[in-house]
């Protein structure tokens, strides 16, 4: 009967309906699973990085796309941003606790895929 109690408690809490187009959680899911959002979260999984380091770690991303992706991930509370008042300013990014929680399954997925792919042939 414990399962029934837990189920009723979950129903009593207000939950997001990600299948509804107006759900704010849907926007966060869209940002996390966007073409570049996944790579930003994976790149920040181990270290805080400055903007240029992050750009170098994600091959193929433009500065404009990186800036846009970081802006929405910061707004969603997944990534923090720190600006050091130097000339030029040094901007560092890292994962918030929420970002680490969300990024963990993405990292596991990434690791599973790369471990299961056949070895790359030397070209």
């Amino acid at each position: 009967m414990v399962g029934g109690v837990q189920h009723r408690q979950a129903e009593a809490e207000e939950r997001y309906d990600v299948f509804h187009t107006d759900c704010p959680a849907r926007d966060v899911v869209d940002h996390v699973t966007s073409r570049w959002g996944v790579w930003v979260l994976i790149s920040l999984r181990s270290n805080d990085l400055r903007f240029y380091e992050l750009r170098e770690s994600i091959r193929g991303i433009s500065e404009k796309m990186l800036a846009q992706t970081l802006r929405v991930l910061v707004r969603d509370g997944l990534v923090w941003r720190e600006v050091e008042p130097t000339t030029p300013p040094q901007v560092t990014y890292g994962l918030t606790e929420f970002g680490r929680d969300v990024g963990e399954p993405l990292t596991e997925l990434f690791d599973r895929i790369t471990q299961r792919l056949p070895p790359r042939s030397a070209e």
Side-chain angles (χ1 to χ4, degrees):
M1 206 59 156
V2 172
V5 171
Q6 289 175 348
H7 183 67
R8 274 184 266 135
Q9 287 174 344
E11 287 179 351
E13 297 174 13
E14 185 176 334
R15 302 192 58 99
Y16 289 101
D17 179 7
V18 295
F19 293 102
H20 192 280
T21 57
D22 293 336
C23 179
R26 188 175 185 155
D27 289 336
V28 175
V29 170
D30 287 344
H31 298 154
V32 167
T33 59
S34 71
R35 178 175 182 188
W36 300 113
V38 170
W39 298 114
V40 168
L41 293 177
I42 289 172
S43 293
L44 292 173
R45 69 184 169 190
S46 302
N47 302 326
D48 303 337
L49 297 172
R50 291 178 48 195
F51 183 88
Y52 81 90
E53 294 170 323
L54 195 49
R55 188 187 69 223
E56 292 298 315
S57 74
I58 306 172
R59 297 196 180 160
I61 191 169
S62 68
E63 284 190 28
K64 178 182 176 183
M65 284 309 305
L66 179 57
Q68 288 176 353
T69 302
L70 286 166
R71 193 173 303 118
V72 296
L73 294 176
V74 167
R75 188 179 64 227
D76 291 342
L78 297 161
V79 172
W80 56 261
R81 177 182 189 265
E82 180 179 82
V83 180
E84 294 179 38
T86 59
T87 305
Q90 294 181 3
V91 183
T92 305
Y93 295 90
L95 294 178
T96 63
E97 184 178 337
F98 181 34
R100 284 189 300 277
D101 274 354
V102 169
E104 188 175 322
L106 296 174
T107 298
E108 290 175 15
L109 176 65
F110 174 80
D111 290 344
R112 285 182 186 185
I113 290 169
T114 56
Q115 290 169 5
R116 302 279 285 189
L117 285 174
R120 293 179 67 176
S121 59
E123 294 179 14

